[in-house]
Amino acid sequence: MASGPPFDLTVTHEGLTALVRAIRQEEDGKALRKDLARNMRDALRPGAAMAKSGIMAMPSAGTGMGPGLRSGIAKKIRPEVKLGGRWTGARVKAFKTPGLRGFANAPKRTNRRDGGWRTLTYGHEPWRTQTGKRQWFDEAFENDADRHLAAVHEAMEDMARRLAARAR
């Protein structure tokens, strides 16, 4: 008997799809999928924490009115794992912030390389351009992307080993 899983596991989108397909064939597949998703999210949590600290390092020129922009964005950063449907995969995502001063695209705009975002200024000019800490989200993963990828792959391989042990 082969010592590996009874299906081909590669570190690609197809490999994850094959793993999810094998999990669905198991009797307790739903519990196994939850376990795999939890382990993959846990593998991405350090990356989400680095992205949160990246946005919190953005300089603040706030007036103290309303909810904080940086903390509002940081609350919306979290690991996301989907195991089926149109998209299968794992990523760290900065979700939109619709309740944050009407600035739904705050994570996207503060991460932009060029420009910034326009804000209304009372008393001086009607509009001004405000810039954030550019590339705060992308820079959070620059040096450790391989480590996070390896952690996600390890979670996938652990599940594959569990399925292989059941097949014996």
Side-chain angles (χ1 to χ4, degrees), residues 13 16-17 20 24 33 37 40-41 44 78-93 95 152:
H13 177 73
L16 182 58
T17 303
V20 171
R24 283 188 182 142
R33 281 180 58 175
M40 291 173 76
R41 271 192 305 273
L44 291 176
R78 59 185 166 266
E80 179 184 40
V81 175
K82 289 188 179 179
L83 301 175
R86 288 186 185 181
W87 180 79
T88 299
R91 63 184 172 190
V92 175
K93 187 174 178 181
F95 291 88
V152 169

Side-chain angles (χ1 to χ4, degrees), residues 26 35-36 44 46 51-52 60 83 92 97 117-118 145 155 159:
E26 293 294 317
D35 199 25
L36 175 62
L44 291 176
K52 287 178 183 184
S60 174
L83 301 175
V92 175
T97 55
W117 65 94
R118 291 178 47 162
M159 183 56 68

Side-chain angles (χ1 to χ4, degrees), residues 144-157:
D144 294 326
D146 293 336
R147 184 178 61 142
H148 301 306
L149 187 62
V152 169
H153 296 170
E154 182 64 29
M156 289 171 56
E157 289 172 5

Side-chain angles (χ1 to χ4, degrees), residues 19-34 159 162-163 166-167:
L19 181 60
V20 171
R21 197 174 306 122
I23 288 173
R24 283 188 182 142
Q25 293 173 357
E26 293 294 317
E27 188 174 308
D28 59 342
K30 190 172 183 179
L32 290 173
R33 281 180 58 175
K34 281 183 178 181
M159 183 56 68
R162 283 175 59 183
L163 292 176
R166 288 179 172 201

Side-chain angles (χ1 to χ4, degrees), residues 106-164:
K108 179 180 172 183
R109 297 286 184 236
T110 56
N111 191 51
R112 282 181 29 180
R113 191 177 286 256
D114 58 337
W117 65 94
R118 291 178 47 162
T119 58
L120 192 61
T121 305
Y122 297 100
H124 301 292
E125 295 289 327
W127 290 94
R128 68 182 173 102
T129 301
Q130 188 173 350
T131 57
K133 182 180 179 202
R134 295 185 178 133
Q135 300 295 313
W136 59 266
F137 190 82
D138 301 331
E139 286 176 358
F141 301 100
E142 247 175 28
N143 297 331
D144 294 326
D146 293 336
R147 184 178 61 142
H148 301 306
L149 187 62
V152 169
H153 296 170
E154 182 64 29
M156 289 171 56
E157 289 172 5
D158 286 344
M159 183 56 68
R161 279 189 224 106
R162 283 175 59 183
L163 292 176

